Amino acid sequence: MSLATAPRLLAALALAIALSACSARYQTPVAMGGDDDDAVCQSRGYAAGSPEYVACRKDRDVQRSAATARADRRQRDLGEYMLNHPERP
């Protein structure tokens, strides 16, 4: 590597580190579709404030929490697999 390319490499590395800070770990999983819970529950015919509407919102919250827990578990399992099997890339 020549001395002329070292500053560019360092700049690229600094940019990559800065951009990685923009990512958020606890974003809504793709499985939920990023739908608006209020709009979804009202589109099912539930009036805001009714027991059915409240149950719909709770169900969607439980589904979102379960999807996040599954994603966390898969990430943890992958990390453990990589630690236990260093010979496999």
Side-chain angles (χ1 to χ4, degrees):
M1 175 169 65
S2 70
L3 291 176
T5 60
R8 288 183 183 174
L9 182 61
L10 288 175
L13 182 62
L15 181 63
I17 291 171
L19 289 177
S20 69
C22 295
S23 66
R25 170 66 186 105
Y26 293 102
Q27 293 176 343
T28 302
V30 176
M32 287 302 296
D35 295 328
D36 179 28
D37 291 345
D38 182 57
V40 170
C41 292
Q42 286 186 4
S43 72
R44 293 180 181 169
Y46 306 137
S50 69
E52 294 86 8
Y53 177 84
V54 172
C56 175
R57 293 290 300 255
K58 284 183 181 179
D59 288 343
R60 291 190 55 86
D61 189 45
V62 167
Q63 290 172 354
R64 186 177 300 105
S65 296
T68 301
R70 280 192 307 272
D72 289 344
R73 187 172 50 249
R74 281 192 303 256
Q75 184 69 30
R76 186 177 56 248
D77 291 345
L78 176 63
E80 288 177 5
Y81 176 82
M82 291 172 68
L83 285 173
N84 295 329
H85 299 89
E87 69 279 356
R88 303 221 37 194

